[in-house]
C-alpha cells in the first residue's frame, strides 16, 4: 500500500449523488442508495487499512424527511437492512459503531437495529464509525444547549471544551477532512461545530462510484494542505 505522510485522524463524508447515479443508469433512486451502501463499506475498510480511527458517514439528514414518502420509507428500510447485516462484520473488524442524531421519528425496528449495533460493538477500539443518521448539526447544537441548561451549569463554567462534551461526538477529535461527493459545494447542515477548522475535499464523483482510488486522491490532496489554525 502507498504510504501517506500525514493522515487525517477523523474523516467525515457527505455521501451525495446516489439518486443521480441511479438515474444515469435508468434505475430507481433506491438502487442508487443500495449501491451507496456498498461504496461506504469499501471506503471504511480502506480507511481502516490506513489505521484511521475516526470516520463519520452522513447517511440521512433531518432535512431529508422533506423528500417524497416512498423515497424516505425505502431509504430507511435499506439502511435498517444494512445495519442489521453489517453490524456483525464491523464487530469482527474491531469497529465501534455510534449513532449521531435523533431517534425521534425513526421507525421502531430501525431504532432497535441501531441500538443493537451500538451495544454489540461498544467495547471495540480499532475504529469509531459514526452513523450520522436523522442528523442535523443545528439540532445537535440545540440539543447540547438543552443538555447544558438541564444540568444547571452556570454560564461562567461554559466554555468550548465543555460545550464539545455535550455534542453527539463527545470525546472524539474534531474532523480533519470532510469529503463531499456529487459535485455540490455546500455543507448541508453537517458537523458545523466539529468542522470549524477542517480541510474540505469536493469531487464530482457520485457516491456509488467513490472507491479506494478516489479516497487516495482525497488523502493525497489533504496531505498537501498547509493547516495553519490561525498561526503563521
Ligand atoms: C445522497 O444521495 C444520500 C442521501 C441524501 C440520503 P442523494 O439521494 O441526495 O442523491 P442525489 O443528490 O439526488 O443524486
Ligand atoms: C446531504 O445530501 C445529506 C446526506 C448526504 C445524508 P442532500 O442531497 O440531502 O443535500 P442537499 O439537500 O442537496 O444540500
Ligand atoms: Mg443529494
Amino acid at each position: 500500500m502507498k504510504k501517506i505522510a500525514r493522515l487525517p485522524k477523523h474523516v467525515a463524508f457527505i455521501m451525495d449523488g446516489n439518486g443521480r447515479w441511479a438515474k444515469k443508469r435508468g434505475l430507481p433512486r433506491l438502487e442508487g442508495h443500495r449501491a451507496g451502501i456498498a461504496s461506504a463499506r469499501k471506503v471504511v475498510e480502506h480507511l481502516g487499512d490506513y489505521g484511521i480511527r475516526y470516520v463519520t458517514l452522513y447517511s440521512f439528514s433531518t432535512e431529508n424527511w422533506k423528500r417524497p414518502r416512498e423515497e424516505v420509507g425505502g431509504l430507511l428500510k435499506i439502511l435498517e437492512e444494512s445495519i442489521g447485516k453489517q453490524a456483525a462484520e464491523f464487530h469482527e473488524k474491531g469497529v465501534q459503531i455510534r449513532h449521531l442524531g435523533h431517534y425521534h421519528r425513526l421507525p421502531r425496528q430501525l431504532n432497535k437495529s441501531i441500538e443493537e449495533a451500538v451495544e454489540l460493538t461498544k467495547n471495540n477500539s480499532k475504529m469509531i464509525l459514526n452513523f450520522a443518521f436523522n442528523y442535523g448539526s443545528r439540532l445537535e447544537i440545540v440539543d447540547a444547549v438543552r443538555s447544558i441548561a438541564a444540568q444547571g451549569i452556570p454560564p461562567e463554567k461554559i466554555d468550548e471544551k465543555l460545550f464539545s462534551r455535550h455534542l453527539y461526538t463527545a470525546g472524539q477529535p474534531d474532523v480533519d477532512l470532510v469529503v463531499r461527493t456529487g459535485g455540490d459545494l455546500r455543507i448541508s447542515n453537517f458537523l458545523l461545530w466539529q468542522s470549524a477548522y477542517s480541510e474540505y475535499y469536493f469531487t464530482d464523483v457520485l457516491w456509488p462510484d467513490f472507491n479506494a482510488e478516489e479516497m487516495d486522491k482525497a488523502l493525497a490532496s489533504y496531505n498537501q494542505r498547509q493547516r495553519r489554525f490561525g498561526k503563521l
Side-chain angles (χ1 to χ4, degrees), residues 100-115:
L100 313 183
H102 260 226
Y103 283 105
H104 178 67
R105 267 181 101 170
L106 293 178
R108 196 182 316 158
Q109 189 50 45
L110 177 54
N111 281 338
K112 217 176 131 231
S113 306
I114 301 171
E115 274 165 9

Side-chain angles (χ1 to χ4, degrees), residues 168-199:
Y168 306 149
T169 49
Q172 300 187 42
D174 278 347
V175 176
D176 298 299
L177 174 64
V178 176
V179 174
R180 182 174 189 140
T181 59
D184 282 312
L185 308 180
R186 57 175 172 261
I187 290 308
S188 304
N189 201 15
F190 187 49
L191 300 174
L192 300 175
W193 176 281
Q194 298 89 337
S195 69
Y197 250 111
S198 298
E199 298 298 323

